Amino acid sequence: MAADLESIYLGMRRSLMATALRVVRDPQIAEDLAQESYLRVRRAMEKGPVEHVEAFLHRTAHNLALDYLRKNRTRGHVETMDAADPSALDVADATPSAEERMIQADRLRHVEDLLTQLPDRARRVWLLSRVEGWSYPRIAEHLGVSPNTVFNDVKLVMGSLRDLFSRLDRG
C-alpha cells in the first residue's frame, strides 16, 4: 500500500507541485504542500481504502494550497491591524457586494429553471457528474446506459448552460 502510494506520488510530484504553485505562487511552499498532500493521503489510506489515489492527491494538494492562502490572509490582516501606516488597512473587502449576491442568486434561479426544463436523464447525469463528482462509467452503470450516452447528456446540459449564460450576459 505505502509502496504503491510512494510510486504514484513520485510519478505525480511535479504535477502536484504545479497544482499548488498555481494557488500559492511560491515554489518552496508548493513543494512543501505537495509533500504534505502525500502524508495526508498516506494517513487516509491507513484508515481505509482510497479510490482514485491520483485524484485524491491532487484534491488534497489543491485544498492545502487554499488553506495556506486563507491562513496567510488572516495572519496578514491581524498583523496589519498593528501597523503604524493607516494606508495598510485600505484593502478591498473580498466579500461580494449585495448587488453581486443578488446577481448570483438570480443566475442560480435561471440555472434551476433551465435544469427543470431538461430531460430527466440529462438532468440526473449532470447532477451526478458535476455535483456529486461521479465518473461517467459509474453514472452509466447506475443508470443502465452507455458512457457515451452519459457524455452526450452532459454535453447537452453544458451547451444549454452556455447558451443561458450567454443570454444573461448580453441582456
Side-chain angles (χ1 to χ4, degrees), residues 25-168:
R25 307 262 190 240
D26 183 325
Q28 293 283 354
I29 306 267
E31 186 170 353
D32 291 345
L33 295 173
Q35 291 173 5
E36 179 65 22
S37 67
Y38 166 81
L39 294 174
R40 296 230 180 150
V41 171
R42 185 172 179 167
R43 276 186 241 133
M45 290 177 78
E46 289 170 358
K47 294 177 182 175
V50 172
E51 278 188 31
H52 312 294
V53 174
E54 294 88 351
F56 193 49
L57 275 165
H58 269 285
R59 177 51 56 195
T60 303
H62 183 75
N63 289 344
L64 286 170
L66 292 175
D67 289 345
Y68 174 82
L69 282 184
R70 282 186 206 108
K71 282 182 190 173
N72 274 359
R73 273 194 206 122
T74 303
R75 183 181 309 132
H77 179 69
V78 170
E79 289 172 358
T80 58
M81 300 276 289
D82 295 330
D85 181 12
S87 69
L89 298 176
D90 293 338
V91 178
D93 187 4
T95 306
S97 67
E99 178 184 20
E100 182 63 28
R101 285 193 307 272
M102 285 177 41
I103 291 169
Q104 292 306 322
D106 186 53
R107 289 173 75 92
L108 180 58
R109 277 191 297 278
H110 284 290
V111 169
E112 290 170 343
D113 290 344
L114 173 77
L115 289 175
T116 62
Q117 296 170 13
L118 292 171
D120 183 53
R121 188 189 67 215
R123 180 176 54 254
R124 290 176 58 203
V125 164
W126 187 79
L127 290 171
L128 290 172
S129 171
R130 296 301 193 250
V131 176
E132 299 297 327
W134 287 21
S135 68
Y136 288 4
R138 182 177 176 194
I139 296 169
E141 184 179 327
H142 178 72
L143 297 178
V145 297
S146 73
N148 196 38
T149 299
V150 171
F151 173 80
N152 287 330
D153 284 344
V154 169
K155 191 168 89 172
L156 168 76
V157 176
M158 296 303 286
S160 298
L161 288 169
R162 184 190 66 235
D163 293 344
L164 170 68
F165 290 135
S166 178
R167 282 193 316 271
L168 291 174

